[in-house]
Amino acid sequence: MKLHSPAAERNAGPILEVLREWLPQDGTVLEIAAGSGQHAVAFARAFPGLTWQPTDPDAAAVASIGMWRNEGGTPNLLPPQRLDVHQANWGVELVDAVLAVNMVHIAPWSASLALLDGARRVLAVGGALVLYGPWIVEGEPTAPSNLAFDADLQQRNSEWGLRSVATFAAEAEPRGLVLVDQRTMPASNRMLLFRRSG
């Protein structure tokens, strides 16, 4: 079944504006937790010089991505692959960017650490790890809507919840991933850019 995410439809444009600054013009992007597939189609179309590999751990999402790809995909959008970040082998050798939209808060903390471990393995030196979603930022008040969302997430699953930018960055650094930029986004979201150091 082809899935449709209203949130993906709304945030694709703002995310794309930032990706135009952060992603290379050519190379390979590995999209983690690609969900419905709407982003994969929109972003691959916007970056014809990039090979776009969408993945998701959920079989229904992989099927949906395939349907979106078949209907509106471009030649640079590869068939979706099933991937759980906890896997030791991500099925790719080397990529220029890893993108995860709205993943880390709807997954256990172990998935965040596995995402960092995997990005360390597959990213080329200088490659980008780009994350989007709601974050807790030290020294800044958390939006009431995000506080309510965090409480709802933790009620649904005690291992879920909004993550701290500082805590995430502290885990990333010893893995050779350095936080080099971040942007505030609509609806109290944030984009983070990590670069793979040598």
Side-chain angles (χ1 to χ4, degrees), residues 34-86:
S36 67
Q38 290 159 263
H39 281 163
V41 169
F43 299 159
R45 187 180 295 132
F47 292 95
L50 287 173
T51 299
W52 203 276
Q53 176 62 73
T55 69
D56 200 278
D58 181 70
V62 170
S64 177
I65 298 165
M67 292 178 192
W68 279 96
R69 176 180 178 268
N70 291 340
E71 289 183 17
T74 54
N76 62 318
L77 179 58
L78 300 179
Q81 301 293 325
R82 195 166 182 182
L83 172 65
D84 183 323
V85 291
H86 294 94

Side-chain angles (χ1 to χ4, degrees), residues 60-152:
V62 170
S64 177
I65 298 165
M67 292 178 192
W68 279 96
R69 176 180 178 268
N70 291 340
E71 289 183 17
T74 54
N76 62 318
L77 179 58
L78 300 179
Q81 301 293 325
R82 195 166 182 182
L83 172 65
D84 183 323
V85 291
H86 294 94
Q87 294 172 211
N89 184 352
W90 280 11
V92 294
E93 291 299 319
L94 200 65
V95 300
D96 301 281
V98 174
L99 172 67
V101 173
N102 284 330
M103 174 206 152
V104 300
H105 58 286
I106 314 180
W109 180 240
S110 64
S112 292
L113 300 180
L115 173 64
L116 292 171
D117 289 336
R120 163 73 182 181
R121 291 193 304 270
V122 304
L123 273 176
V125 173
L129 169 62
V130 180
L131 306 176
Y132 169 94
W135 292 85
I136 295 171
V137 183
E138 291 64 24
E140 294 185 15
T142 303
S145 58
N146 278 354
L147 290 173
F149 184 39
D150 184 51
D152 177 65

